[in-house]
């Protein structure tokens, strides 16, 4: 049966839209089906980490993120300016520091952070963007999908599918059936794709009920700013006006899917804070738990998973959004290469190999935070000890490193160059351009940084036969004498590198591994 599309993506959240854009950049015919009729405006993650900012930067979307961040910081400034005693002539409030964050609600002070720590250098402008909410991410990606010509069918729900050796027949309501070569489930934590495909989904059960909302309320003057712990739970107020979060440790909700009401939010906030707050209007609200599960494998034949469909966990730190975007960046170019016939299906095996360990880390990272938020006396004592430790620069720097995601990398072969498997440094090249600017089209990049110092062709000879799959650029770069050549995958990960003393691996083998065989002749 002839395929109507190369890939069907179920779900138009950040992971689904990012994946669709990556597939389209790689030349695949993509259909996205989404049961919601519009971009989901429900309050979710409020920030992104460095790998996510880099992903947008490498596709030319960083200015859109920076614009949203500026508007958000202005709202934060308005909240801080509303502090008692802040009159019309008061100086403008200080904005959150660049690396501000929290672990289990314990704030990390910027003056206890060492910016020279490994991982923070050579991130370029992406290192300055992070305060962007998930709703804005979805709007930006939705606009990008339209620009790229991705077909997105909203108000259409995937209800079933049958997979065979050649492809997948997907059933939707409304719409009937469509035939595609591949199906990717990006349809959230209750993924229909995951359930119907029979993916194992082991993990730990929920023990908490949490709420996050943007509301209008009265009597909130008695609420503490930021994160607060009480004998009945945890709550947060801010950083933008009306944003609240509560966590209670009395078990999961009776009905996770029921609409969140103002009365329900008000009762939870009063129980946890002890303040008689009255919620007069709910703009957006969501209910969450600490259910933590991960698919044992991210691929089963012609069906793959990404984002929350592959892993669920508590939302603390906003890691779910970042994990989903990372899944999409990793999978998109690989699946597109397989669709084009440039790479064998075995390339897709590296998707689970590379992304599964990061997902497992996020699950444990959130489990640890939930444990440290418990209101019992023993946990309160442990939390006080942890808060004291964050006064140490080494501790705060470590936590900030983990939160920011700059530590993330993929395992490299033994003896490979230290950069292999890591995010490529955003080098400033001789013509004034930066490395990220050469990745906008989603192709791999081979940089020969020797300029005229050696005979031409030292690296370009190995690139023969890769045509439009690979961009080759001969230039120079100041400040990095340890590098003479660099192969960067379409997702911005270093695949091979060489220094003045030569390479620590074969360029031709790296090209073959990630881009497939060169064209004959």
């Amino acid at each position: 049966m002839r395929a109507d599309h190369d890939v069907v993506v179920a779900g138009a959240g950040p992971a689904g839209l990012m994946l669709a854009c990556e597939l389209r950049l790689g030349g695949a015919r993509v259909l996205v089906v989404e049961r919601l009729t519009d971009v989901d405006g429900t309050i979710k993650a409020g920030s992104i980490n460095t790998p996510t900012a880099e992903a947008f930067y490498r596709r030319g979307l960083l200015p859109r993120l920076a614009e949203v961040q500026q508007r958000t910081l202005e709202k934060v400034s308005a909240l801080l300016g509303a502090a008692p005693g802040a009159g019309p002539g008061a100086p403008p409030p200080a904005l959150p520091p660049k690396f501000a964050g929290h672990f289990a609600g314990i704030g990390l002070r910027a003056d206890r952070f060492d910016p020279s720590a490994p991982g923070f250098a050579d991130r370029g402008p992406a290192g300055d963007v992070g305060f962007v909410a998930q709703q804005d991410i979805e709007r930006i990606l939705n606009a990008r999908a339209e620009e790229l010509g991705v077909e997105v069918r909203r108000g259409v729900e995937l209800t079933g599918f049958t997979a065979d050796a050649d492809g997948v027949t997907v059933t939707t309501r409304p719409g009937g059936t469509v035939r595609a070569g591949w199906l990717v489930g990006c349809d959230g934590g209750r993924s229909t794709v995951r359930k119907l495909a029979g993916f194992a989904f082991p993990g730990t059960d929920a023990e908490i009920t949490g709420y996050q909302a943007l509301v209008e309320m009265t009597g909130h003057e008695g609420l503490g700013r930021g994160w607060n712990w009480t004998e009945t739970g945890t709550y947060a107020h801010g950083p933008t006006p009306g944003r609240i979060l509560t966590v209670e440790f009395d078990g999961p909700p009776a009905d996770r899917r029921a609409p969140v009401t103002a009365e329900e939010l008000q009762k939870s906030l009063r129980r946890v804070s002890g303040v008689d707050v009255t919620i007069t209007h709910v703009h957006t609200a969501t209910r969450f738990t600490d259910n933590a599960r991960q698919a044992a494998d991210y691929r089963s034949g012609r069906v793959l998973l990404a984002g929350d469909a592959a892993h669920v966990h508590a939302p603390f730190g906003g890691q779910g959004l970042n994990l989903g975007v990372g899944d999409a960046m990793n999978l998109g170019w690989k699946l597109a290469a397989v669709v084009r016939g440039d790479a064998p299906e075995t390339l897709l095996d590296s998707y689970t190999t590379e992304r599964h360990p990061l997902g497992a880390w996020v699950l444990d990272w959130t489990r640890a935070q939930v444990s440290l938020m418990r209101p019992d006396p023993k946990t309160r004592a442990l939390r006080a000890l942890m808060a004291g430790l964050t006064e140490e620069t080494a501790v705060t720097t470590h936590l900030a490193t983990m939160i920011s995601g700059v530590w993330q990398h993929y395992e490299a072969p033994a003896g490979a160059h230290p950069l292999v498997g890591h995010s490529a440094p955003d080098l400033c090249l001789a013509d004034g351009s930066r490395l990220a600017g050469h990745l906008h089209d989603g192709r791999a990049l081979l940089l020969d940084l020797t300029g005229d110092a050696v005979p031409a062709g030292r690296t370009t000879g190995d690139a023969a036969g890769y045509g439009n799959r690979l961009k080759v650029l001969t230039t120079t770069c100041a400040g990095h004498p340890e590098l003479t050549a660099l192969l960067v995958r379409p997702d911005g990960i270093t695949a091979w590198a060489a220094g003045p003393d030569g390479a620590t691996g074969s360029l031709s083998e790296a090209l073959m591994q990630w881009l497939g065989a060169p064209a004959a002749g």
Side-chain angles (χ1 to χ4, degrees), residues 103 454 520:
F103 181 77
V454 298

Side-chain angles (χ1 to χ4, degrees), residues 328-375:
M329 283 293 287
N330 187 287
L331 175 60
W333 65 274
K334 294 175 182 178
L335 184 52
V338 172
V339 165
R340 295 193 308 266
D342 291 332
E345 285 188 25
T346 52
L347 177 62
L348 298 176
D349 295 338
S350 67
Y351 171 52
T352 297
T353 299
E354 292 185 333
R355 296 302 300 174
H356 198 277
L358 294 181
W361 174 84
V362 167
L363 264 65
D364 280 344
W365 180 257
T366 57
R367 287 182 180 120
Q369 292 184 75
V370 170
S371 296
L372 204 56
M373 288 179 177
R374 296 182 186 281

Side-chain angles (χ1 to χ4, degrees), residues 62 89 128 137 191 231 234 244 295 299-300 308 312 346 413 449 478 517:
L62 194 65
D128 296 321
I137 292 291
S191 171
E231 293 184 357
T234 301
I244 58 171
R299 179 191 173 200
S300 176
D308 289 349
V312 295
T346 52
L449 297 171

Side-chain angles (χ1 to χ4, degrees), residues 120-205:
F120 288 98
D122 296 319
R123 296 290 176 167
D128 296 321
V129 176
F131 216 21
V132 183
Q134 180 164 329
Q135 301 100 312
D136 294 309
I137 292 291
E138 291 192 25
R139 293 186 186 101
I140 291 170
L141 287 175
N142 189 65
R144 177 62 169 166
E146 290 181 1
E147 293 166 3
L148 292 173
V150 174
E151 183 180 357
V152 180
R153 296 181 187 174
R154 293 190 175 273
V156 176
E157 182 179 9
L158 181 147
T159 57
F161 64 86
T162 56
D164 53 52
D166 299 318
V168 185
T169 301
V170 178
T171 304
T172 64
R173 183 178 58 231
T177 62
V178 294
R179 179 72 176 175
W182 302 83
L183 170 64
V184 186
C186 299
D187 49 342
R190 304 184 185 98
S191 171
T192 298
V193 173
R194 185 189 67 236
K195 293 173 182 176
L196 293 178
F199 283 89
F201 202 49
T204 52
D205 293 333

Side-chain angles (χ1 to χ4, degrees), residues 4 10 33-34 36 46 71 86 95-96 125 162 166 181 248 256 306 321 330 344 360 384 414 463 466 500:
D4 305 299
V33 293
E34 167 58 56
L36 298 179
R71 293 198 301 267
L95 293 176
T162 56
D166 299 318
E248 298 182 78
R256 175 83 186 275
L321 163 63
N330 187 287
Y466 283 95

Side-chain angles (χ1 to χ4, degrees), residues 264-511:
E264 185 179 2
L265 286 171
Q266 181 174 288
K267 286 182 177 179
S268 179
L269 186 55
R270 287 184 175 185
R271 279 194 301 265
V272 175
S273 70
V275 179
D276 287 334
V277 172
T278 299
I279 294 178
T280 57
H281 181 72
V282 179
H283 293 285
T284 174
T286 186
R287 187 187 293 107
F288 65 86
T289 73
D290 59 334
N291 177 43
R293 298 184 179 279
Q294 183 181 26
D297 198 314
Y298 290 178
R299 179 191 173 200
S300 176
R302 293 267 172 167
V303 182
L304 301 105
L305 303 176
D308 289 349
H311 34 70
V312 295
H313 50 84
F316 304 121
Q319 294 291 338
L321 163 63
N322 297 304
L323 199 55
V325 170
D327 290 348
M329 283 293 287
N330 187 287
L331 175 60
W333 65 274
K334 294 175 182 178
L335 184 52
V338 172
V339 165
R340 295 193 308 266
D342 291 332
E345 285 188 25
T346 52
L347 177 62
L348 298 176
D349 295 338
S350 67
Y351 171 52
T352 297
T353 299
E354 292 185 333
R355 296 302 300 174
H356 198 277
L358 294 181
W361 174 84
V362 167
L363 264 65
D364 280 344
W365 180 257
T366 57
R367 287 182 180 120
Q369 292 184 75
V370 170
S371 296
L372 204 56
M373 288 179 177
R374 296 182 186 281
D376 64 273
K378 292 179 180 179
T379 303
R380 290 203 302 269
L382 181 61
R383 187 167 57 244
L385 174 64
M386 185 66 182
L389 289 174
T390 61
E391 293 296 310
E392 299 295 328
T393 298
V395 175
T396 288
T397 300
H398 172 74
L399 293 174
T401 298
M402 305 308 283
I403 292 168
S404 68
V406 298
W407 65 276
Q408 295 181 8
H409 63 279
Y410 303 137
E411 187 175 352
H417 189 282
L419 276 179
V420 173
H422 291 256
S423 178
D426 190 35
L427 304 177
C428 186
L429 306 178
D431 63 358
S433 65
R434 303 191 72 104
L435 185 149
H438 296 278
L439 297 174
H440 289 182
D441 58 5
R443 290 188 290 163
L445 173 66
L446 177 60
L447 280 177
D448 185 334
L449 297 171
T450 60
D452 297 327
V454 298
R458 172 175 169 175
T459 59
T460 54
D462 287 317
Y466 283 95
N468 199 45
R469 283 179 274 171
L470 178 66
K471 182 187 300 183
V472 181
L473 180 62
T474 300
T475 183
T476 58
C477 169
H480 287 273
E482 78 283 4
L483 282 176
T484 59
L486 199 66
L487 174 64
V488 183
R489 301 183 340 187
D491 56 356
I493 299 298
T494 305
W496 172 89
D501 298 328
T504 52
S506 167
L507 173 58
S508 60
E509 290 179 3
L511 288 166

